[in-house]
Amino acid sequence: VGGMRPKELTIIGARPGMGKTAFAGHLTLMAAKQGYRVGLFSMEMAGDAIALRLLTATAFDQGHPIAYEAFRKGTAKAHEQDALFAAEGAISQLPIDVHEGRGLSPSGMLMAAKRQQHAYALTKYPLGLIIVDHLQKIRPDRDCRGNKVAEMTEISDALQKMAGQLNIPIVALSQLNRAVEGRNDRKPELSDLRESGSIEQDADTVLMLYRHAYYVKKKEPAQGSPEHNEWYAEWTACKHKLDVHVTKNRNGSEGRCTVYFDAPSSALKD
């Protein structure tokens, strides 16, 4: 797709469990390492939880695969804690600002982003990217009387305008509706954007994420059963695959690619 460009809105759509937040974390780390300040608005997860995901992803990149869940449960081993401290040292100076945006409206988000842009305008790391996780958790500015389509129309239009006003790219994560679960292959399409309204119209780029491993894992038979070996072979073949489908590209062609994804550590790589 040629990268993320100023004034453009990119939508990342997927069902729960497909890796949206991990994908957003990967974009955050890559942009920050290139010298762009990233404003990550987490509308659902706490800032500490987001930070931990960034740390485990960084540790994985340093050759230390550590399960995010182990630290959440307090079961991480001593060597894993050491690896996480090393990862903290690696990213502590990166220009990443995590905002707990629960209850924020588009206008509130714009004000926060403008303050951030002004504060760092003349520094080494000016604001270069806004990521929103996720679209459906933004509170609309006006009362749409429960009309979800109208709410999403307002919110997606506001994000597109925000990208233009700030002159930076904006990436927004979006949930998909349940129609995906009713198809045999469960691969998402552009029409699956929940309460889509004008989301697909406002977006310059739409990426859909799909992990076959998520559904294979749910079908695991009892260990020792005749079916388990066959299931394990299928699981091993797909457990690190994340399919990315470009379902809209205003300035180019559509297409698909597959990237390496380590779900326990929320890490992606080629």
Side-chain angles (χ1 to χ4, degrees):
V1 298
M4 296 174 290
R5 298 178 182 275
K7 301 184 180 182
E8 293 188 353
L9 173 63
T10 297
I11 299 293
I12 311 293
R15 289 290 294 161
M18 295 295 113
K20 292 190 301 298
T21 301
F23 196 93
H26 181 76
L27 295 181
T28 298
L29 290 170
M30 293 302 101
K33 289 175 182 177
Q34 293 175 35
Y36 298 101
R37 181 168 296 277
V38 182
L40 176 55
F41 286 84
S42 178
M43 316 300 290
E44 192 171 36
M45 294 180 65
D48 288 348
I50 293 290
L52 183 55
R53 284 177 179 263
L54 296 178
L55 286 170
T56 55
T58 300
F60 181 90
D61 192 47
Q62 294 176 336
H64 303 285
I66 304 171
Y68 163 82
E69 189 176 4
F71 281 93
R72 292 283 290 174
K73 292 182 176 180
T75 59
K77 298 178 176 60
H79 73 276
E80 293 176 326
Q81 295 181 31
D82 291 341
L84 201 71
F85 290 143
E88 183 179 16
I91 71 170
S92 61
Q93 301 303 314
L94 290 179
I96 299 171
D97 297 318
V98 179
H99 305 264
E100 292 187 16
R102 300 177 188 185
L104 270 181
S105 65
S107 60
M109 193 178 303
L110 177 60
M111 288 179 61
K114 281 185 173 179
R115 286 196 298 267
Q116 187 180 16
Q117 188 176 53
H118 177 74
Y120 297 106
L122 301 179
T123 68
K124 182 180 178 181
Y125 302 113
L127 182 64
L129 175 65
I130 291 287
I131 296 180
V132 183
D133 182 12
H134 58 81
L135 201 65
Q136 281 76 19
K137 287 292 184 178
I138 301 175
R139 179 174 55 84
D141 280 305
R142 60 188 178 89
D143 183 6
C144 297
R145 300 184 181 277
N147 186 329
K148 292 297 183 180
V149 173
E151 289 180 3
M152 287 301 102
T153 299
E154 176 198 323
I155 290 167
S156 65
D157 179 65
L159 289 180
Q160 185 193 45
K161 291 177 178 176
M162 187 189 305
Q165 291 178 40
L166 298 175
N167 194 30
I168 61 173
I170 291 181
V171 176
L173 278 57
S174 176
Q175 294 280 15
L176 303 182
N177 60 46
R178 294 183 180 275
V180 179
E181 307 296 334
R183 293 196 291 270
N184 289 334
D185 64 1
R186 295 190 176 94
K187 292 185 177 180
E189 301 172 357
L190 193 60
S191 59
D192 294 323
L193 286 168
R194 181 182 287 181
E195 293 103 29
S196 60
S198 61
I199 295 177
E200 62 267 34
Q201 176 183 323
D202 292 329
D204 295 279
T205 307
V206 179
L207 308 179
M208 295 291 186
L209 309 183
Y210 172 76
R211 282 201 309 130
H212 183 57
Y214 176 83
Y215 297 103
V216 172
K217 183 65 175 176
K218 289 180 175 293
K219 299 187 299 180
E220 181 179 3
Q223 291 193 18
S225 65
E227 297 84 8
H228 194 270
N229 286 341
E230 183 178 348
W231 170 87
Y232 186 75
E234 182 181 9
W235 163 247
T236 302
C238 70
K239 68 178 181 178
H240 288 305
K241 291 183 178 180
L242 173 64
D243 294 325
V244 183
H245 182 194
V246 183
T247 56
K248 178 181 179 181
N249 184 8
R250 196 187 301 276
N251 299 304
S253 59
E254 300 173 6
R256 297 178 184 269
C257 69
T258 301
V259 299
Y260 185 98
F261 178 53
D262 185 74
S265 61
S266 299
L268 286 86
K269 66 177 184 178
D270 290 341

